[in-house]
Amino acid sequence: MADETDKTAKQTRALRDDRLKSALRENLKRRKAQARERAASGDPSQNEDGPLNQGAAGEPGN
């Protein structure tokens, strides 16, 4: 009985891990595509000065 429970738990865990891996892979692809688009368009929000939400002293804004 315990063996069946362990098998089921392992299978459930493996399925969950596969779903997470796929989701992470798709997210990475999407973010890379966005970064390429920004680089190609010269988006001013991604310049050398850092993100727009930083204050004048480089501290994160609210």
Side-chain angles (χ1 to χ4, degrees), residues 15-50:
L15 290 172
R16 181 177 183 268
D17 287 347
D18 288 343
R19 285 194 310 270
L20 288 174
K21 286 177 188 178
S22 294
L24 287 170
R25 199 174 305 116
E26 292 302 318
N27 188 21
L28 181 60
K29 286 180 186 178
R30 186 172 50 251
R31 291 179 63 184
K32 283 186 174 185
Q34 288 173 344
R36 283 191 294 266
E37 288 175 17
R38 284 188 195 112
S41 69
D43 188 0
S45 67
Q46 299 294 324
N47 59 20
E48 299 111 27
D49 298 332

Side-chain angles (χ1 to χ4, degrees), residues 49-62:
D49 298 332
L52 292 176
N53 64 350
Q54 283 186 341
E59 297 294 323
N62 292 340

